[in-house]
Amino acid sequence: MGTALLCLTTLTTMGTTKTVKLRIVETSDVHGCFFPYDYVEKRPLKGTLARVSTYVQRLRGQYGKNLLLLENGDILQGQPTCYWTNYVASDEENIAASVVNYLKYDAQAFGNHDVETGHAVYDKWVREVNCPVLGANIVDKATGQPYVKPYAIFYRDGVKIAVLGLLTPTIACWLNESLWQGLEFRDMVESARQWMRHLKEVEQPDLIIGLFHSGKDGGIVMDNGLEEDATARVAREVPGFDIIFYGHDHIQHNERLGNDVLTLNPSCWALNVADAEVTLTYNDGRLVKKDISGNVVSVRNEAVDERMVSHFRPQTDRIEAYVNRRIGRFETGASTRDSYFGSSAFTDFIHNIQLQISGADISFNAPLSFDSRIEPGDVTVADMFKLYRFENQYYVLRMRGKEVRGFLEESYDRWVDTMRGPEDHLLLLNDESQGDQQRMGFRNYTFNFDSAAGIVYVVDVSKPKGQKVRITSMADGTPFDENREYKVVMNSYRGNGGGDLLTKGAGIAKADIDARIVYQSPLDLRHYIMKEIERMGNVRPEPNNNWRFIPEEWTVPAAKRDRRLIFGE
């Protein structure tokens, strides 16, 4: 999720005193935003590595080799650019590796979405990049050693620099073990402490930099204590870091934590870079002073590196031809905006395909893009990335009726307010999350707002948490039985326990989830959706109208108010 620059420039050498200036730049959570064109929306993209390239070239003109450029993971998933290179043109060099090599990154970290691509993709990518890929807490079970390099050492103008990489360890909450077979992901604080001791005793660098694909704090905490977002804890509890560049949570940060450690997070999609300036003063060869400052810098107004665009034209022409291929026709449009306020054509279209291809009784599904729309008319491969954002597989699990209801209770408790009167919000909003690229004004992540198909139910927002959902029947009118076992289809993120709806909501222990899975699709759900549309030809997405918010005299006007507030309509 980001790119890091380190600039190292010798300023003066007078007698026994030497001053060295460094510049360090980081990118994070790029998610395939390499080129200044959105292959999904078919319009120009702000930011992108094509603008980061211009920014970096200008700094290299000032600092030369005294600049370090760092990439912080989640580079293998996002735009169709990634899907094309990961799964369609997979015998060629991964375009993410080609771009990293073009920009001459000095080090690359692993992100959770990089692991999501599976061994075949990320092992090949690691071999193809010209810089070290770091992950001190990604451990090979067979050897007990890091699967990739734990850290990298750089020498710039006589300065020894160590960059230590760490990945959020809660991978098992989102991804099936088949994607990370033979690996384990260890606690970030313990790993940082172990490798900090090694760095100080063995390497003795002048500057120690963290490159962490993990948010500041909060997030998932697993039963074994592993934390999703542990950057702040590392800064507080592991002395020795001079700078920590981080990402994963898509939230821009520039602050000092712990023992005055500069921590920088550029957010996502190569809209910004994290940029640190370091001045080191030596006296008789001994480091006596460090001055460190940093900023998160927007690259939106940088010129596009046209040489880079031209260099990759053969690949981008093929990507464009791939995403523009017609696969069918939508007779009506569909928008994720409708999904937050009730049964919607967008969400229910996916529900219905999941039920069709799986043969399950019940479907769970959430809007994976905050604000996406398919227009009426011909639909292309590019539209499939609007319809289904991630490369999730689909799973079928065995769940009892009461677990289905518990799952939905947890989902709606994160999604909607408990209304005490007609003037309250319907949705659970939070002004503090407006700058969060994943929450967009909601208190919680919208990709965890699962609704259901295959059943008929109401959500009474006047009821307290855990008591809002009342399931009245199956979709065919037969009774719904809380004690009966049903086959339930959902995406692999949810089926692995992602979002905690299965654990906290349905009450299924994480260790017991695998035994509930009766089917895992070999390919991603987007592939099957695309094949179904091709099979049907012309489709007319419409809401199932199998659920609604009540009491409607409160919820209908509240939905209109909240819709205006969020979307301006």
Side-chain angles (χ1 to χ4, degrees), residues 16 39 62 158 160 172 302 322 331 421-423 425 448 452 484 568-569:
T16 59
Y39 291 95
Q62 302 172 40
K160 186 175 184 179
E302 290 288 339
Y322 169 70
E331 297 297 335
E423 299 306 315
H425 288 293
N448 285 328
R484 179 187 162 185
E569 60 176 37

Side-chain angles (χ1 to χ4, degrees), residues 355-405:
L355 290 170
Q356 169 68 26
I357 63 179
S358 70
D361 305 303
I362 299 169
S363 169
F364 292 147
N365 177 42
L368 299 186
S369 297
F370 166 68
D371 186 10
S372 188
R373 178 174 177 80
I374 309 291
E375 298 292 347
D378 288 347
V379 293
T380 65
V381 171
D383 291 312
M384 296 302 96
F385 290 81
K386 298 181 190 179
L387 194 63
Y388 209 86
R389 180 179 176 185
F390 299 112
E391 280 80 71
N392 297 319
Q393 302 160 271
Y394 75 84
Y395 285 10
V396 178
L397 278 71
R398 293 180 292 105
M399 296 178 67
R400 294 202 172 275
K402 62 182 179 181
E403 294 170 336
V404 169
R405 185 177 56 79

Side-chain angles (χ1 to χ4, degrees), residues 24 65 98 188 191 224 474:
I24 310 163
K65 293 183 178 179
S98 302
M188 286 182 57
S191 297
N224 58 8
M474 301 300 292

